[in-house]
Amino acid sequence: MRREVEKVGFTRLENVHGEDGLSLRETLEAIRHRPTPSNEESTKFRIIRPVLDDLGWDTTGPEVLLEHQVGTSKSGGKVDIALRGRRRVVALIEAKAPREDLDKHVEQVIWYAFYAGISICVLTNGPEWRFYLPKEDGPPDECCFARLDLTNDPIDRLGEDLDTFLGKENLLSGAALRRATEVLEARRQADRLKERLPEIWSRMVTEPDVRLVDLVIGQAYEEMNLRPAAEQVKAVLRGLPVPAVPKPEATFGQGHDPRRQRRRPLATGTQEGMSDLERRIVDQYETWNSGKDRSPGSSSRLNSLLYSWFELAAKDRQMTVRQMAEIVGKTTSTLRFRADRSDEARKGERRGRQAGRKIEAFELWGIRHDVASWAAMLVGVAEALYKRHGASFDRILTLRGTTRLYASRDREDISYNPKLVGTSGIYIETHGNVADKIRRAGQFLELFRHSPDDLRIETRTD
């Protein structure tokens, strides 16, 4: 007798369940505390019906259809529940008995929905609810955008998801389909990430990218005030013991011209293969470093020699500025600074200003940038470093002169002509003559372990 009453519809059971007037939250709490239904029909009327009532559907009227025919009697079948809008069915629900393995029935409900052109369908055995987008490409499991467990999931989340995907207002307005599509795409992206990220990370730590190494170096400096060598960072990423990295042995030409493989610490005095100018520079620096002669005349001679070498290096690139700096035990920015202080450089700068020498463009890492001023070149170099090094760009804040900052997050800290670097929130000083700006650009590059030789400048005379 009970089975016949349930087949008539939801109306005959309204007073039996006594769910009228309850909120969705209270209904879900009641479902949890009552005994699990014994069969499929009980699942429909003791779980699905009260949930649909609270989601705004009139389970006693024509908008909730039971045993809804899909297709013809020969080629189609009947789905347990269809939710109908003003003009058409908007969702299907296929019910199964509790503890029934839903995997065996997925293709059935998806076929029903796909055949009828319906965008959302649900498969449930009472406690477990699965939501599908049948029109999506891929096997059935890849079309599932949500799984709800009425027994264990948080009540608030259950109520929110049920209302989002099955609420009458959301289904009729199309909001349920839009949200379901977003959720499925997010799930697919998460699946791809879960599959590929371990592979990407394994490759990154096996052959660490310079950007990852640089990020670790920058973080170590911020937290420990130490700058580990790249080899040490790579060893950590690979899970190897951290090596003790000695000071680099001075090199000359190695790795640049395979016909000239020479290694020479400055202290040995060996100068084979060097040009006469290069030997004189090394000798002069040895004299300066030893303290034997630090007179103004000696300093001036050293500056002039370096200026001549820079001019030679611009024409003949057999030795880079970095290699020369390693030989004499100085940084490249120090060499450029000295060269720029020479009489020849100052005269050349005056001649350049008189001739109207202006910057036209700069090239960095193979990319050419048109600029209208030397200050724009300096900002452009800083922005290129920001794009490449991201979070570790804060390292530029460590640069400062004797009495002033060269970079700061506070615009007021920059005394002369502050310029903002991209979206970094950091301002840099762009004051000074041409030599100052070129030297500062080299300092920027060295700070992030790049060579000033990476920078090429194009000028014109008006």
Side-chain angles (χ1 to χ4, degrees):
M1 179 62 181
R2 179 172 182 75
R3 188 172 187 83
E4 293 176 356
V5 170
E6 290 178 341
K7 285 186 177 181
V8 172
F10 291 135
T11 305
R12 300 285 300 279
L13 290 175
E14 190 168 288
N15 295 329
V16 176
H17 292 299
E19 301 292 341
D20 291 47
L22 296 182
S23 68
L24 179 58
R25 179 186 181 88
E26 292 170 327
T27 296
L28 293 173
E29 290 279 10
I31 290 172
R32 284 191 175 183
H33 290 91
R34 69 163 59 106
T36 302
S38 59
N39 54 46
E40 180 180 318
E41 295 300 322
S42 296
T43 297
K44 295 178 191 177
F45 296 103
R46 295 187 181 278
I47 295 181
I48 300 175
R49 176 254 176 167
V51 167
L52 292 178
D53 276 334
D54 291 330
L55 292 175
W57 296 99
D58 181 3
T59 57
T60 67
E63 62 187 22
V64 177
L65 308 176
L66 302 180
E67 301 296 325
H68 177 65
Q69 181 69 41
V70 176
T72 66
S73 57
K74 293 183 178 180
S75 62
K78 291 185 177 181
V79 67
D80 292 309
I81 300 170
L83 303 180
R84 181 180 176 83
R86 287 182 294 273
R87 298 179 181 177
R88 60 185 179 85
V89 173
V90 293
L92 299 182
I93 302 175
E94 182 69 11
K96 298 299 174 185
R99 291 179 288 276
E100 180 77 18
D101 184 0
L102 295 183
D103 289 336
K104 298 177 180 179
H105 306 282
V106 173
E107 292 185 3
Q108 177 190 10
V109 67
I110 287 182
W111 184 88
Y112 283 157
F114 186 84
Y115 186 93
I118 296 170
S119 299
I120 291 181
C121 61
V122 181
L123 178 62
T124 177
N125 59 9
E128 183 181 358
W129 293 54
R130 298 184 187 178
F131 293 74
Y132 296 89
L133 291 177
K135 296 181 182 179
E136 289 290 326
D137 294 333
D141 189 57
E142 292 184 9
C143 299
C144 180
F145 64 88
R147 293 172 182 250
L148 307 184
D149 183 348
L150 269 57
T151 304
N152 299 304
D153 288 347
I155 292 291
D156 288 341
R157 196 185 81 189
L158 287 172
E160 182 179 348
D161 288 347
L162 285 167
D163 181 60
T164 298
F165 302 127
L166 275 187
K168 179 178 178 180
E169 182 178 340
N170 288 324
L171 273 174
L172 296 184
S173 68
L177 178 58
R178 290 193 295 273
R179 181 56 181 155
T181 303
E182 292 172 358
V183 170
L184 181 60
E185 179 58 28
R187 202 211 76 180
R188 287 176 170 174
Q189 290 180 2
D191 288 344
R192 288 197 293 270
L193 288 173
K194 183 179 179 180
E195 178 183 352
R196 291 296 310 281
L197 279 181
E199 172 192 333
I200 293 172
W201 177 247
S202 176
R203 186 170 65 250
M204 288 181 69
V205 298
T206 302
E207 294 297 333
D209 184 273
V210 64
R211 292 168 295 180
L212 177 60
V213 173
D214 195 72
L215 180 62
V216 176
I217 292 173
Q219 191 65 29
Y221 180 76
E222 290 179 10
E223 296 186 12
M224 304 168 58
N225 201 29
L226 294 173
R227 292 194 188 280
E231 292 79 4
Q232 292 174 310
V233 173
K234 290 179 180 179
V236 170
L237 291 173
R238 291 167 178 161
L240 302 174
V242 179
V245 179
K247 292 182 178 180
E249 185 179 7
T251 62
F252 174 79
Q254 182 163 347
H256 191 74
D257 185 345
R259 296 170 300 176
R260 302 177 64 193
Q261 298 293 319
R262 291 180 291 277
R263 300 178 64 84
R264 190 191 70 81
L266 180 61
T268 65
T270 302
Q271 298 181 2
E272 294 181 4
M274 289 187 180
S275 68
D276 179 64
L277 174 61
E278 290 163 350
R279 281 197 297 272
R280 289 168 61 197
I281 291 173
V282 172
D283 289 342
Q284 190 70 37
Y285 244 120
E286 286 180 335
T287 299
W288 179 267
N289 289 339
S290 67
K292 294 178 182 178
D293 186 359
R294 293 209 171 188
S295 64
S298 175
S299 178
S300 179
R301 285 191 296 275
L302 178 57
N303 296 347
S304 296
L305 288 171
L306 286 171
Y307 178 78
S308 299
W309 179 79
F310 274 98
E311 285 199 325
L312 176 66
K315 300 174 183 178
D316 180 4
R317 308 295 291 185
Q318 289 186 342
M319 188 191 315
T320 67
V321 177
R322 175 171 286 183
Q323 289 165 341
M324 190 70 204
E326 289 176 348
I327 289 175
V328 298
K330 301 293 181 181
T331 65
T332 57
S333 57
T334 298
L335 298 189
R336 289 186 185 277
F337 179 72
R338 275 195 166 280
D340 290 339
R341 293 180 62 186
S342 69
D343 290 338
E344 291 88 345
R346 295 173 189 232
K347 290 175 183 177
E349 185 181 321
R350 287 195 294 271
R351 287 196 299 269
R353 285 201 299 269
Q354 292 167 358
R357 182 169 61 95
K358 295 182 179 180
I359 187 169
E360 192 167 79
F362 73 91
E363 182 181 310
L364 186 60
W365 305 315
I367 301 176
R368 187 178 184 275
H369 306 265
D370 293 321
V371 289
S373 66
W374 290 96
M377 178 276 297
L378 186 59
V379 174
V381 170
E383 289 181 341
L385 287 166
Y386 173 57
K387 289 179 181 178
R388 176 166 287 204
H389 295 281
S392 63
F393 184 70
D394 287 0
R395 192 181 310 168
I396 202 170
L397 297 172
T398 62
L399 278 180
R400 61 177 301 145
T402 306
T403 59
R404 65 182 189 270
L405 297 175
Y406 289 152
S408 175
R409 291 192 179 279
D410 188 346
R411 193 178 190 277
E412 301 300 321
D413 288 341
I414 306 300
S415 304
Y416 304 98
N417 199 20
K419 297 292 183 183
L420 182 63
V421 180
T423 58
S424 67
I426 294 176
Y427 294 86
I428 62 171
E429 183 190 85
T430 58
H431 180 72
N433 58 34
V434 171
D436 290 333
K437 294 181 178 68
I438 294 175
R439 181 174 65 255
R440 190 77 46 73
Q443 290 175 322
F444 288 172
L445 290 166
E446 284 187 316
L447 189 64
F448 293 91
R449 297 180 176 270
H450 298 289
S451 170
D453 288 334
D454 294 343
L455 178 65
R456 300 284 187 270
I457 295 175
E458 298 178 23
T459 60
R460 70 178 189 276
T461 55
D462 295 335

